[in-house]
């Protein structure tokens, strides 16, 4: 029923890169987008497992950049 899955946990963050949230990955398919707020490593175990099921994936790097840009504007403009 849910097509956007977001990992907001620190699981999979360097150096503990082998862990992923407990999740029924077998139900994912190409209709799903799996977003991980973690950006180091670039592809977490969560994203790898989702990609193996055909889901689209995205890591948290862009969110980090967008938050930094917004914070810069808030504090410096």
């Amino acid at each position: 029923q849910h097509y956007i899955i977001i990992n907001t946990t620190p699981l999979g963050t360097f150096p503990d890169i082998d862990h992923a949230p407990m999740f029924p990955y077998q139900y994912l398919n190409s209709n799903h987008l799996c977003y991980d707020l973690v950006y180091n490593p670039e592809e977490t175990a969560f994203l790898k497992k989702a990609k193996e099921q055909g889901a689209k994936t995205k890591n948290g790097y862009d969110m980090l950049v967008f938050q930094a840009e917004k914070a810069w504007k808030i504090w410096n403009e």
Side-chain angles (χ1 to χ4, degrees), residues 4-8 33-37 46-47 56-64:
I4 299 175
I5 312 299
I6 303 171
N7 175 33
T8 61
L33 169 63
C34 292
Y35 193 98
D36 198 335
L37 296 186
F46 169 74
L47 295 179
K56 295 173 254 349
T57 61
K58 182 129 180 79
N59 71 19
Y61 181 78
D62 286 340
M63 184 177 286
L64 170 72

Side-chain angles (χ1 to χ4, degrees), residues 13-39:
T13 304
F14 182 82
D16 193 17
I17 62 172
D18 295 325
H19 289 91
M22 291 182 63
F23 182 81
Y25 295 93
Q26 69 272 19
Y27 296 113
L28 296 174
N29 59 51
S30 62
N31 294 322
H32 292 93
L33 169 63
C34 292
Y35 193 98
D36 198 335
L37 296 186
V38 173
Y39 53 87

